[in-house]
Amino acid sequence: EIRQSLKQVQGYLDADIVVVYVTFEDKGRSAEGVLPEGKILKSSGFSEKEIKALEFYMSSQKDTIIQMARTVDPMKAFLSSGKSKK
């Protein structure tokens, strides 16, 4: 099962420019992609075929993923990422 996490970066000079970094993780493998380009920037453990599938997913679901990223509260995400899992 591949987990997906999102991080939105709002444009500094133009508030309408949105960049979303999408991280995929699965059993020690990881990949980071960027929207709106729909490209994987770096990966570890995924095959070329899997990377192409992740890029297709990001491109085909771009609007949905960007909308999801807009609802992420960065402070809440930051604070919850520091909690230890017990």
Side-chain angles (χ1 to χ4, degrees):
E1 179 178 311
I2 297 177
R3 291 185 306 133
Q4 173 185 309
S5 58
L6 307 171
K7 179 174 71 172
Q8 176 187 358
V9 178
Q10 195 76 29
Y12 290 106
L13 299 177
D14 184 347
D16 292 332
I17 297 174
V18 175
V19 176
V20 176
Y21 290 96
V22 183
T23 302
F24 300 96
E25 297 175 307
D26 176 37
K27 299 178 185 175
R29 304 182 304 167
S30 65
E32 181 176 274
V34 64
L35 287 173
E37 290 86 354
K39 296 292 180 190
I40 295 294
L41 301 176
K42 59 183 176 180
S43 69
S44 174
F46 285 100
S47 70
E48 284 298 316
K49 184 177 179 179
E50 291 170 318
I51 290 170
K52 293 293 181 199
L54 292 173
E55 289 178 337
F56 175 78
Y57 167 76
M58 286 192 306
S59 294
S60 66
Q61 298 299 314
K62 175 176 66 174
D63 293 337
T64 301
I65 295 170
I66 289 173
Q67 188 60 37
M68 287 170 47
R70 289 180 191 269
T71 66
V72 173
D73 180 342
M75 185 55 78
K76 184 177 180 181
F78 172 75
L79 293 174
S80 66
S81 69
K83 293 180 181 176
S84 63
K85 297 179 182 178
K86 293 185 179 182

